[in-house]
Amino acid sequence: MHSGWQVHPGWITMRTESPMPQLARITRDPRLMGGKPCIRGLRITVGAVVGLVAAGHSTADILRAYPYLERQDVAEALSYAAWRAEEVEVPLRRGQR
């Protein structure tokens, strides 16, 4: 199988040629928020931050609403989301591995 493919139950992810950027502020812990990517081990997910930006909130708005976040947290959340958007997920048929 191509080294860029990762197999997970029910789907395959193919990574693009671009490597994941160095993101020191994005963490994943199966004990925290169901293993979703979070900001610095806090209980705020990358998806929540990206969703706020998508809804039209500025970085300043987000930092006011979540004073424990920093400007670089928002920037890294967006970088992580952009990198993930380049993946292609292919659902598997039943019975495939």
Side-chain angles (χ1 to χ4, degrees):
M1 183 170 287
H2 185 274
S3 63
W5 293 90
Q6 293 182 345
V7 180
H8 304 278
W11 53 276
I12 294 177
T13 298
M14 195 207 131
R15 298 247 182 242
T16 62
E17 293 301 315
S18 63
M20 185 171 106
Q22 290 291 357
L23 301 174
R25 294 170 176 262
I26 307 301
T27 59
R28 291 183 78 164
D29 181 339
R31 299 167 297 172
L32 183 66
M33 303 302 286
K36 293 180 180 180
C38 292
I39 307 296
R40 291 185 289 118
L42 301 170
R43 296 185 65 80
I44 183 159
T45 64
V46 168
V49 173
V50 172
L52 289 168
V53 172
H57 295 280
S58 69
T59 298
D61 293 338
I62 296 168
L63 297 178
R64 274 192 298 278
Y66 299 93
Y68 47 87
L69 292 182
E70 299 170 2
R71 184 168 297 283
Q72 190 60 29
D73 295 331
V74 176
E76 283 202 13
L78 293 172
S79 292
Y80 180 82
W83 176 74
R84 285 296 308 252
E86 293 300 317
E87 292 181 337
V88 177
E89 292 185 358
V90 180
L92 295 174
R93 291 190 311 255
R94 245 182 162 55
Q96 282 185 313
R97 288 184 179 203

